[in-house]
Amino acid sequence: MNNSNIIQSRIRKFMLTVAGISGLLTFNPTTGSAQTTAKGRPVEQVSFQQDKFGRIFFPVKISRDTATLLFSTFGEPVRLSSYFQKTEELFPGWEYMMQTDRNGKSHRRLIFNLPKMEIGNTKVRSLPVLVNYAFPDSLVTGSTGTKMLSRYNWSIDNDNKKLAFSKGAFLPSNEFTAIPFAKNTAPQVSVAIDGIIEDFKLDLGSGASFQVNTESPLGQALLKKYQPRPSVTLTSTVHARKLVDTIYKIQVPELQFNGVTLKNQQITLSTAFPHHLVGAAFLNQYNIVINHSGKRKIGNSFILEERKKS
């Protein structure tokens, strides 16, 4: 590397560090107890911000830099910007992950190792990481995944914008519904719409409420019954030369969510959704507890709690 590249690299890292410090001040992480845990284990708490879709973003420290992570319950490894390859914080591992693009083509992706990440005062060590080249290099950012989230139990207080985590299980105070899910997997729930029952992934990293794949049996049935007009048509050249995606939006009179009847829910249909999803626009109407038992024979729980009435 020549002197010019070295100087540019150092300037970039300095600017990102300054931006990270500013981000920490904006997020204002704090420590303390969010609520009583079942086994009385210590609780760490940080403040978070949300975008217009209700998705949650919170700060973490990686070496001298601050990354803003999207709280995602769908993907497996943590995803980080390629910036951390340049700062040599990531080390190549011995595992690969197969990913399928929208054209059905498989790609083998190398899994990296991140020795340490700090959330508040907690050091999370030896995390598997997938480098996401869609994150701009000018932004230090990333997202969580099941491999990171399964190490702790989590409490999302949407009333006070607080994210808490602990080794002890959180006790819900005003439960709306509890959804069991398998260990080390993305949580999912049974949803029935117009007599068709499908499994929906619970993905806090997605913005829409209920998302349905247009080409699925459920998607085709909804299009046939409601005959919606296209909401928007998008053309993308990111993952292929040209992909056209038509998005539809409908409102169903009612649906069954984990056995609970919900009225007048909006459904977004798109070929871009590889799975049916329930996103943050719906889930964050509640406070959330995600308890990981850590034991193979005991199920995990994704719990929605009624929020305070404003």
Side-chain angles (χ1 to χ4, degrees):
M1 181 182 292
N2 59 39
N3 290 336
S4 175
N5 289 338
I6 292 173
I7 293 172
Q8 290 179 4
S9 177
R10 290 177 176 174
I11 291 173
R12 186 188 304 115
K13 187 167 184 178
F14 172 78
M15 293 179 68
L16 286 166
T17 302
V18 171
I21 294 171
S22 175
L24 275 175
L25 294 174
T26 301
F27 280 103
N28 188 27
T30 60
T31 58
S33 294
Q35 55 179 294
T36 304
T37 58
K39 297 182 181 180
R41 301 290 290 272
V43 176
E44 177 98 55
Q45 181 175 281
V46 295
S47 299
F48 64 78
Q49 289 187 338
Q50 289 175 297
D51 63 11
K52 63 180 182 180
F53 303 107
R55 294 181 301 179
I56 291 169
F57 298 85
F58 68 101
V60 300
K61 288 279 289 182
I62 300 175
S63 187
R64 297 181 179 179
D65 292 311
T66 298
T68 304
L69 292 192
L70 168 67
F71 193 95
S72 173
T73 50
F74 183 61
E76 291 184 16
V78 170
R79 283 164 165 77
L80 289 176
S81 163
S82 58
Y83 165 79
F84 290 104
Q85 284 179 294
K86 300 172 184 177
T87 59
E88 299 181 350
E89 297 298 332
L90 299 178
F91 297 89
W94 298 100
E95 295 183 66
Y96 290 86
M97 179 178 178
M98 297 303 296
Q99 289 189 313
T100 303
D101 63 24
R102 289 174 57 183
N103 289 327
K105 186 176 180 180
S106 296
H107 302 272
R108 192 171 75 154
R109 299 286 305 279
L110 178 64
I111 299 295
F112 290 82
N113 180 266
L114 176 65
K116 184 178 69 174
M117 173 189 292
E118 297 177 58
I119 311 176
N121 296 318
T122 299
K123 296 178 176 63
V124 185
R125 300 187 184 277
S126 190
L127 283 168
V129 171
L130 189 67
V131 173
N132 192 333
Y133 296 96
F135 292 142
D137 286 342
S138 59
L139 298 175
V140 183
T141 187
S143 62
T144 64
T146 58
K147 289 186 179 296
M148 173 183 164
L149 296 183
S150 62
R151 297 187 183 189
Y152 300 94
N153 301 302
W154 302 82
S155 172
I156 300 172
D157 182 353
N158 282 301
D159 293 314
N160 298 298
K161 300 292 186 291
K162 299 291 184 182
L163 175 66
F165 58 99
S166 172
K167 289 291 187 180
F170 287 97
L171 296 175
S173 57
N174 191 17
E175 183 178 305
F176 172 71
T177 189
I179 302 160
F181 65 98
K183 181 180 179 182
N184 295 328
T185 64
Q188 65 180 27
V189 65
S190 176
V191 176
I193 305 175
D194 287 346
I196 300 176
I197 301 174
E198 298 276 5
D199 287 332
F200 281 60
K201 301 287 186 182
L202 300 175
D203 183 18
L204 282 164
S206 298
S209 293
F210 290 84
Q211 306 175 14
V212 172
N213 182 282
T214 310
E215 298 175 351
S216 68
L218 176 59
Q220 289 294 302
L222 292 176
L223 288 177
K224 182 178 180 180
K225 178 176 180 177
Y226 294 93
Q227 299 184 357
R229 293 182 178 182
S231 174
V232 65
T233 299
L234 302 176
T235 302
S236 172
T237 58
V238 175
H239 300 295
R241 290 185 178 180
K242 186 176 181 181
L243 290 172
V244 178
D245 182 30
T246 303
I247 299 173
Y248 302 89
K249 292 186 178 181
I250 63 174
Q251 184 168 292
V252 297
E254 68 175 40
L255 57 80
Q256 297 290 318
F257 175 86
N258 199 39
V260 179
T261 300
L262 301 176
K263 302 288 188 179
N264 301 320
Q265 296 298 312
Q266 187 179 81
I267 310 294
T268 303
L269 299 103
S270 168
T271 56
F273 306 144
H275 305 277
H276 302 322
L277 300 174
V278 183
F282 171 78
L283 295 173
N284 280 326
Q285 295 177 40
Y286 303 87
N287 290 326
I288 299 170
V289 168
I290 307 173
N291 281 331
H292 296 96
S293 70
K295 297 180 180 179
R296 187 170 297 178
K297 294 183 179 180
I298 301 177
N300 305 318
S301 295
F302 190 104
I303 303 168
L304 299 181
E305 295 186 275
E306 296 284 1
R307 292 179 61 175
K308 297 175 182 177
K309 302 297 183 181
S310 57

